[in-house]
Amino acid sequence: MHVIINLAITISSLFYLYFLFNIMLVNHYREPTTIPQKGQQPMRLYLIIPVLNEAAIIQKTITQLSAQLDQLPKTIQAQIIAVDDNSTDRSLSELAQTDSPYLQVLHRAGNEKQGKGAVLNTAIQYLQHTLAKDADPEQTIVGVLDADAFMTSQDLTAVVANFEQQPKMAMLQTGVSIYNQPNWLTRMQNFEFMCVNSATQQLRNRLGQGIASGNGQFVRLSLALVNPWGDRLLEDLEFTLRTWLLGRQVRFTHTIVVQQEGVEKLRPFFKQRVRWCQGAVQCMHYLPALWRSKNLNWFQRIDTTFWILMPITGCIVPVTSLVTLITLIMRSLQDWVTGWHHVALMTVILIALFACLILTILFQRNSADAQQTTKFWPALWDSISFQGYLLIIGLTPYAAIARQLGGQTNWTKTRHGAGRAYAGLKRQGA
């Protein structure tokens, strides 16, 4: 038992040191806030929206996006491609009633639910043979937006400007924020995306390359034609890994954001995160190719390996951390006067609070860069309570591994509601 406890403490300590090292790195490597200006190069922009039982929200999404496309400069020719994946609700009817001049509707009739990747490939094949048949694939940008997504004309223009000014860039991932924040769970999702995810992506941008996050993912048509989306539950991660292996460049920008609806209830939120976690498990077979490839540097290999293996380590570290915590508390109580365990425990707590302070500053900075200002004390409280949010996410690897081992690979789709749709949009007219 003594050996097992010491092993647990060692594992927990190593991952805690990795966490602190990562905090220092993301605090040090920050991306500049320069927003490129669109030049005179004519560009095409196609926004693809996969639609599966989105009747409650899809018409509002198309209307809002169409109003923003109206404000794009004349050098950008834009359209929306909504792909209905044989919805069983009124999604197709809602799309048919939308009078947007930018909208093209595709219907995948009779298709088994094959996931988001198959829907995106349908849209690319349609563009290849129709709307973009005579277009320059290098000057044609394809954006992937969820059915609940919103982006301003300024942000869409900045996306295209990035591609115009960086000819070697094949894919650009924007930041993500949550526009509905009625409860603690949705606030935590916003903190996760605007702080932790954004800071990590900025670090990848400086030392390696960005990773696609699905919503707010923009690619050149030339890349989509040679690199179709796969059937993994994290199709965006798989698409990124394949892009790296092709030697194409992936970037991230935190100054441009796509706003989306947060999941307001715990059960559907947990299902969403289990799907994401299982998707990482399904991408583990790419690791040998990533380590062999000359297109990746050492940071990319190490960072991606840690990230993809997180479902495995996520099953181990929580247990070892719990054993370590209980051991420190028990030994502190047994030998408070002459022992050192209580000092170690208090040191861990102080370091954790210091890390929360750093995350608060990062959250404020990233929000300000995205023109979404936040106050310090609410942000600090969110940073501290975010640790409870991590405990919830910490349970997902067990469910993800169990599903994968059990052969359950069906797509558990996140449902979007219209109760507060776009009620809290920020950056409108920014």
Side-chain angles (χ1 to χ4, degrees):
M1 180 61 70
H2 183 70
V3 174
I4 294 176
I5 291 176
N6 286 339
L7 179 62
I9 292 175
T10 301
I11 294 174
S12 179
S13 299
L14 288 174
F15 273 88
Y16 194 68
L17 289 173
Y18 168 75
F19 165 74
L20 293 177
F21 181 65
N22 199 49
I23 287 289
M24 290 187 290
L25 284 178
V26 299
N27 184 54
H28 177 72
Y29 289 100
R30 300 177 180 178
E31 284 288 271
T33 58
T34 304
I35 300 177
Q37 300 299 311
K38 178 70 179 71
Q40 296 303 311
Q41 174 69 47
M43 305 279 283
R44 296 194 187 190
L45 174 64
Y46 297 104
L47 301 178
I48 301 177
I49 303 180
V51 179
L52 176 59
N53 297 333
E54 301 285 6
I57 200 171
I58 189 58
Q59 196 172 99
K60 289 186 178 181
T61 298
I62 299 298
T63 300
Q64 291 279 352
L65 287 174
S66 297
Q68 297 303 312
L69 296 187
D70 269 334
Q71 303 174 39
L72 293 179
K74 294 181 179 179
T75 54
I76 302 177
Q77 178 184 337
Q79 284 187 289
I80 301 171
I81 313 297
V83 187
D84 178 70
D85 194 21
N86 204 24
S87 298
T88 57
D89 65 355
R90 288 180 47 82
S91 293
L92 194 58
S93 176
E94 292 291 325
L95 287 169
Q97 295 175 28
T98 305
D99 58 359
S100 168
Y102 301 100
L103 180 63
Q104 295 274 334
V105 180
L106 306 182
H107 178 55
R108 285 169 50 87
N111 287 281
E112 296 294 331
K113 302 300 185 293
Q114 299 172 354
K116 187 176 178 181
V119 175
L120 296 176
N121 291 333
T122 296
I124 295 300
Q125 292 167 12
Y126 172 74
L127 288 175
Q128 181 184 11
H129 295 100
T130 55
L131 301 179
K133 183 178 181 180
D134 300 321
D136 181 353
E138 291 296 323
Q139 306 301 328
T140 302
I141 311 305
V142 176
V144 179
L145 298 181
D146 288 346
D148 61 333
F150 175 78
M151 291 188 72
T152 66
S153 58
Q154 291 87 350
D155 281 348
L156 291 171
T157 302
V159 165
V160 178
N162 269 281
F163 282 97
E164 183 181 29
Q165 297 183 15
Q166 301 180 66
K168 292 184 178 180
M169 183 178 70
M171 176 162 63
L172 178 69
Q173 174 61 52
T174 72
V176 178
S177 70
I178 301 298
Y179 59 69
N180 62 315
Q181 299 180 36
N183 57 28
W184 174 81
L185 185 60
T186 52
R187 289 203 316 276
M188 290 302 97
Q189 291 168 64
N190 188 64
F191 187 89
E192 176 187 15
F193 292 136
M194 291 296 292
C195 177
V196 180
N197 287 10
S198 178
T200 302
Q201 288 273 48
Q202 290 178 60
L203 172 64
R204 290 172 179 149
N205 240 26
R206 296 296 296 275
L207 300 182
Q209 294 193 62
I211 294 179
S213 303
N215 200 13
Q217 171 188 351
F218 292 83
V219 306
R220 294 188 192 272
L221 179 59
S222 57
L223 173 62
L225 292 175
V226 299
N227 183 33
W229 280 269
D231 60 355
R232 306 295 89 176
L233 294 178
L234 267 186
E235 87 294 329
D236 45 11
L237 174 60
E238 183 181 28
F239 188 85
T240 301
L241 300 181
R242 289 178 175 177
T243 301
W244 288 352
L245 293 174
L246 288 172
R248 306 293 181 90
Q249 186 183 90
V250 181
R251 307 301 294 169
F252 169 81
T253 173
H254 74 292
T255 57
I256 304 173
V257 296
V258 57
Q259 301 177 59
Q260 67 182 41
E261 181 185 52
V263 184
E264 298 183 6
K265 296 182 179 179
L266 186 58
R267 189 168 182 176
F269 168 79
F270 189 77
K271 288 183 178 180
Q272 178 196 65
R273 295 314 172 92
V274 168
R275 170 167 59 84
W276 292 3
C277 190
Q278 188 178 357
V281 174
Q282 294 176 336
C283 289
M284 287 181 183
H285 70 280
Y286 282 100
L287 286 178
L290 294 177
W291 279 90
R292 290 192 303 266
S293 175
K294 296 180 180 179
N295 295 323
L296 281 73
N297 61 27
W298 280 101
F299 174 82
Q300 279 179 273
R301 295 188 185 105
I302 295 173
D303 174 68
T304 307
T305 299
F306 267 103
W307 200 76
I308 292 181
L309 291 180
M310 204 166 287
I312 304 297
T313 59
C315 292
I316 300 172
V317 176
V319 176
T320 60
S321 298
L322 182 61
V323 170
T324 301
L325 179 61
I326 293 174
T327 301
L328 287 175
I329 293 175
M330 291 181 61
R331 292 180 180 177
S332 296
L333 295 175
Q334 292 171 0
D335 197 8
W336 182 267
V337 178
T338 60
W340 56 268
H341 296 89
H342 60 284
V343 177
L345 184 61
M346 287 187 289
T347 302
V348 169
I349 294 174
L350 289 175
I351 293 175
L353 290 175
F354 181 70
C356 288
L357 178 61
I358 293 178
L359 291 177
T360 300
I361 296 171
L362 287 172
F363 178 58
Q364 281 197 294
R365 178 185 180 277
N366 292 339
S367 298
D369 289 346
Q371 303 175 35
Q372 299 182 10
T373 56
T374 58
K375 295 182 180 178
F376 176 78
W377 291 111
L380 178 61
W381 172 245
D382 282 348
S383 180
I384 294 173
S385 62
F386 185 70
Q387 310 313 308
Y389 176 80
L390 292 177
L391 291 177
I392 298 174
I393 294 180
L395 298 175
T396 60
Y398 304 101
I401 295 294
R403 278 180 56 85
Q404 188 65 25
L405 292 176
Q408 301 179 51
T409 58
N410 58 300
W411 188 277
T412 306
K413 183 184 175 297
T414 303
R415 294 188 177 276
H416 304 126
R420 277 175 291 273
Y422 302 109
L425 283 179
K426 301 178 181 179
R427 299 179 64 141
Q428 266 186 311

